[in-house]
Amino acid sequence: TISGTISANGKGFAGGGGCKNGYGPDGGESAFGAGAGGGHFTKGEDAGFSAFADNDLSGVAENPSFGSGGGGSSQKDNVGAVLGGSGGGQIIITSLSNITVDGVVSANGSNPKGQSSLSLDSIGGGAGAGGYVSLTGVELFGSGLISANGGDGGEDSGSAFSSEPGGYGGAGYVEVNGINSFTGTIQEISGGGG
């Protein structure tokens, strides 16, 4: 029985630094501007209004893995850089009997770290994608929460035209092998925009 919390939030591929792409096979792209979100089982979001920081690198994984990181952001000359969020890690639980989850099992992507704010500009970093949760047993019970969600993109709070929100992270994957009698919540959703 899992009554507490098992977390692999932000334990996947790292986010990129200023003007660097997120790590992992589906890492969010970065440029001189906002960062795109990392992808996993759904694509990460393009970044703000930037024509240069999109999620061309952010695809859809064929096999479950760690969530990819979001792209970093910065203004020109790498001033005010924001680290992209890290992807979610992996949680694999295998039992020869039943599994009960009354607590929380999560492998969510993380939000970008900090926010660039220079003058009236506000440039958001990309968020990490959700990771992978696998539960294998005879039967799954419980009323808790199991999640592999993408992180939220960095906020756009500036008033200048060049202000850009970061992209959200794509959804991860939750897999249940066995009879599913779970009455709680299973989430595999992309994050929110900046």
Side-chain angles (χ1 to χ4, degrees):
T1 298
I2 300 168
S3 56
T5 299
I6 298 176
S7 172
N9 296 342
K11 301 299 184 182
F13 290 103
C19 289
K20 292 184 179 180
N21 298 335
Y23 293 90
D26 306 308
E29 193 169 356
S30 178
F32 290 106
H40 194 177
F41 269 79
T42 63
K43 295 183 71 173
E45 180 190 36
D46 289 352
F49 313 110
S50 174
F52 303 103
D54 57 35
N55 62 0
D56 285 345
L57 303 181
S58 174
V60 178
E62 296 181 358
N63 298 300
S65 180
F66 298 97
S68 291
S73 72
S74 75
Q75 293 160 338
K76 66 179 182 178
D77 300 325
N78 210 31
V79 175
V82 177
L83 296 176
S86 298
Q90 291 189 12
I91 297 175
I92 300 175
I93 298 174
T94 302
S95 174
L96 297 177
S97 58
N98 298 328
I99 299 173
T100 300
V101 178
D102 286 325
V104 176
V105 178
S106 62
N108 301 328
S110 64
N111 300 339
K113 298 173 177 62
Q115 178 174 304
S116 172
S117 182
L118 180 66
S119 184
L120 296 178
D121 295 344
S122 177
I123 309 297
Y132 174 54
V133 177
S134 173
L135 300 168
T136 301
V138 175
E139 191 165 0
L140 176 64
F141 295 98
S143 57
L145 171 65
I146 305 169
S147 65
N149 300 328
D152 296 335
E155 293 183 2
D156 162 27
S157 60
S159 57
F161 177 76
S162 57
S163 299
E164 300 176 7
Y168 59 71
Y173 186 61
V174 176
E175 181 178 27
V176 176
N177 298 303
I179 301 171
N180 189 352
S181 299
F182 186 67
T183 58
T185 301
I186 295 178
Q187 294 180 337
E188 307 162 298
I189 58 178
S190 298

